[in-house]
Amino acid sequence: MEKMNRGIITALSAIGIAQALKIVTHKTVTGEWDLKQIATTGGQPSSHSAGVSALATYIAANKGSRHTETALATIFGVIVMYDAQGIRRHTGEIAQLVNDLEDNFAAISVDFPSSDFVERDKELKELLGHQPIEVLGGAVLGAALGYFSAKLEG
């Protein structure tokens, strides 16, 4: 472990912790334990945000805020977080509309037996992105873990 890059370990740990916390937040919201949440996209906190925030904070704590590596990690992180709560979330919303449309069409096609409608076996995945609060939750978690990791290193 000592030979591995501490920044990578910090970022991957933040991602893992965020994914594990999704089990707890799912339980809080639904009242049910669901271990499959550890492998899902979307949800609270954003593991994407946790990972990039942990890396950027770790680098900033070690190199300083004016260092080029800090700038690269920060800009990379902002792009990832914007994408997680923007494009990916909207893709999930579109998937939900398509699934609803298919369900409605299936219900209507019963009245029209001559239609050649064939339902898909599997619906489109709807939970792809994050709400802004989930991105913020991941960013705060990641920043705390990145800072803690840098301080532990010395």
Side-chain angles (χ1 to χ4, degrees):
M1 256 329 198
E2 194 172 301
K3 296 203 184 246
M4 280 190 76
N5 183 307
R6 179 83 177 214
I8 292 172
I9 293 169
T10 300
L12 291 176
S13 297
I15 290 167
I17 291 168
Q19 284 299 119
L21 284 173
K22 289 180 184 186
I23 296 170
V24 176
T25 57
H26 181 78
K27 165 71 170 146
T28 303
V29 171
T30 66
E32 297 176 11
W33 290 106
D34 182 7
L35 296 180
K36 289 185 265 179
Q37 293 298 312
I38 201 160
T40 63
T41 58
Q44 174 75 313
S46 165
S47 59
H48 291 86
S49 298
V52 295
S53 295
L55 181 61
T57 304
Y58 171 80
I59 292 171
N62 279 320
K63 303 271 187 178
S65 62
R66 296 177 54 97
H67 199 275
T68 302
E69 290 176 28
T70 302
L72 288 170
T74 300
I75 296 303
F76 168 70
V78 167
I79 291 168
V80 167
M81 289 187 283
Y82 177 79
D83 180 62
Q85 67 88 36
I87 296 165
R88 289 180 59 241
R89 179 171 54 97
H90 291 293
T91 302
E93 290 171 357
I94 291 169
Q96 184 177 17
L97 291 172
V98 170
N99 288 337
D100 290 346
L101 180 63
E102 183 178 35
D103 292 344
N104 291 335
F105 198 83
I108 292 170
S109 69
V110 171
D111 295 332
F112 299 96
S114 63
S115 70
D116 288 334
F117 176 70
V118 178
E119 263 189 282
R120 287 179 289 144
D121 293 333
K122 193 173 178 184
E123 287 193 334
L124 296 174
K125 187 169 173 115
E126 296 175 2
L127 190 57
L128 296 173
H130 294 280
Q131 297 296 323
I133 191 71
E134 296 167 343
V135 171
L136 179 63
V140 170
L141 173 66
L145 292 171
Y147 182 79
F148 180 69
S149 179
K151 293 306 169 195
L152 273 180
E153 189 175 40

